[in-house]
Amino acid sequence: MHISATNPLPCTGPASYHFSRYNRVWGWATWARAWRHNDPAITGWPAWKAQRAHHRHFPDPAERRFWEERWDAIHRGEHREDWNWQWSLACLMNGGKAIVPAVNLVTNLGFRPDATHTTNTDDSEAGLPTTALPTPLTHPSTTDIDPAQDHLYRWQFLLPEAGSAPRRMGRRCG
């Protein structure tokens, strides 16, 4: 459902890209058929939460709380300008995945004190270097989510304060 141009964790390996449950939204694309599932008010969230359907995507309680707090706040009418959280939920609820390049293709130039959301110029995703994707593309052997890449992204960018980050994990793709 989502193609990203951002990968703050470029990986080594034969594939030019991997599949992820996390859709990075700096330099991204989708299809009209996928975007039709986007629901800014996330009206389906309470039922999905009550069914605990999100538990299969987030078995770790710390990460589950991370997402529940965001989606609960959005459903209450707070933070609706943060459209990317709603889009993440729409992708998950509809069985979507994100395609993430093996290298970082774009950088967000908006990290600055007067920005709306990206005010921390020391953020670990500020000023990411970019690299061209080598051609011809090498496709991964499967369309399954790459658990190693998702694990690394989760602990380095979503939940670094949780203290459960891997000590050493290879950056393999494909």
Side-chain angles (χ1 to χ4, degrees):
M1 287 179 68
H2 182 98
I3 301 173
S4 181
T6 303
N7 185 355
L9 300 167
C11 47
T12 59
S16 300
Y17 58 93
H18 70 276
F19 292 88
S20 176
R21 76 176 40 88
Y22 305 112
N23 52 3
R24 286 82 160 185
V25 295
W26 294 333
W28 67 282
T30 190
W31 296 262
R33 70 184 185 313
W35 190 249
R36 279 193 280 275
H37 295 288
N38 193 39
D39 175 15
I42 60 173
T43 56
W45 165 239
W48 212 57
K49 182 181 179 183
Q51 296 167 8
R52 301 168 58 116
H54 62 301
H55 287 220
R56 69 184 168 99
H57 298 285
F58 309 114
D60 176 71
E63 183 177 17
R64 198 165 43 245
R65 277 190 307 277
F66 172 89
W67 291 106
E68 287 173 352
E69 289 170 4
R70 276 147 188 81
W71 293 328
D72 285 345
I74 291 165
H75 191 263
R76 288 189 305 264
E78 305 164 18
H79 307 293
R80 285 212 175 136
E81 75 279 0
D82 294 339
W83 62 271
N84 54 314
W85 304 118
Q86 294 93 315
W87 178 233
S88 293
L89 180 62
C91 290
L92 290 172
M93 288 178 72
N94 291 282
K97 299 173 190 169
I99 297 171
V100 179
V103 298
N104 188 54
L105 302 172
V106 299
T107 193
N108 183 338
L109 301 176
F111 278 95
R112 52 183 212 236
D114 64 337
T116 302
H117 298 287
T118 54
T119 57
N120 182 3
T121 57
D122 294 326
D123 188 286
S124 58
E125 292 188 79
L128 292 174
T130 60
T131 304
L133 199 59
T135 56
L137 293 181
T138 303
H139 303 288
S141 59
T142 178
T143 60
D144 294 339
I145 288 172
D146 185 319
Q149 282 293 299
D150 271 11
H151 185 76
L152 192 58
Y153 182 79
R154 173 175 53 251
W155 293 118
Q156 288 196 11
F157 292 96
L158 294 178
L159 300 169
E161 69 283 349
S164 297
R167 292 182 188 194
R168 181 171 167 81
M169 177 173 282
R171 295 181 178 179
R172 182 194 58 77
C173 272

